[in-house]
Amino acid sequence: MQKKFLEGAKGQSYENQYRFILQTGLRTGELVGLRWDDIDFENRTLTISRTMEFRYKVGEWRVDPPKSKSGYRTIPLTDEAIRILKVQKEKNSKIKVINLEWADQVFLCRKGEPVKNSTYDTALFKICDKVGIKRFSMHVLRHTFATRCIEAGMMPKTLQKILGHSNIGITMNLYVHITEDEKHKEIDLVSDALNVV
């Protein structure tokens, strides 16, 4: 399903953002609030210190601190995440007018403004419909990142830090939908150790 979705997202306005969450596990508000000075290309990290969303009731952007103390974090970047950021930088350089207020934002729309959280979901639904998969929200991309990390052997404690959870239980219960196949693979790995003669 991930592959199908990414094929459908190719060339779409927010392809970079969808791919970036699949590489970093960011929350939508963290992605929206990301600034270029949060990115350290030399050390290949990004730092989360804010979340941002558009408040429709008052018609303005609101910048807040992360959800909890553990929400403040530094995330190592994959080669693919670095590539996406470079592509985005190039894309931003072609925007005709960028309001000074948003000049340091990483992910901007064609109008040179941040993308509203709900706009990401709407565009995502269209991609799902186009490729014939069940609709899902932005948050599922974060879940997918977490599941892929665990499947690839990442320690749950490391994943907890990357996702910014205050409690390991949240990481394990909410984000890791280990498949039946994974359970069999894991039991096969330990089967010899279980045979104590």
Side-chain angles (χ1 to χ4, degrees), residues 29 54 58 73 88 90 92 102 126 136 156 168 173-174 177:
F54 189 77
V58 287
R73 62 202 190 278
Q88 186 64 34
E90 177 66 21
N92 288 0
W102 309 124
K126 283 182 185 161
F136 61 87
I168 189 82
N173 296 335
L174 283 180
H177 312 292

Side-chain angles (χ1 to χ4, degrees), residues 154-162 166-168 171-172:
M154 185 182 279
M155 301 298 288
K157 201 74 189 154
T158 305
L159 181 60
Q160 176 195 346
K161 299 275 183 233
I162 289 173
S166 51
N167 170 326
I168 189 82
T171 311
M172 297 313 292

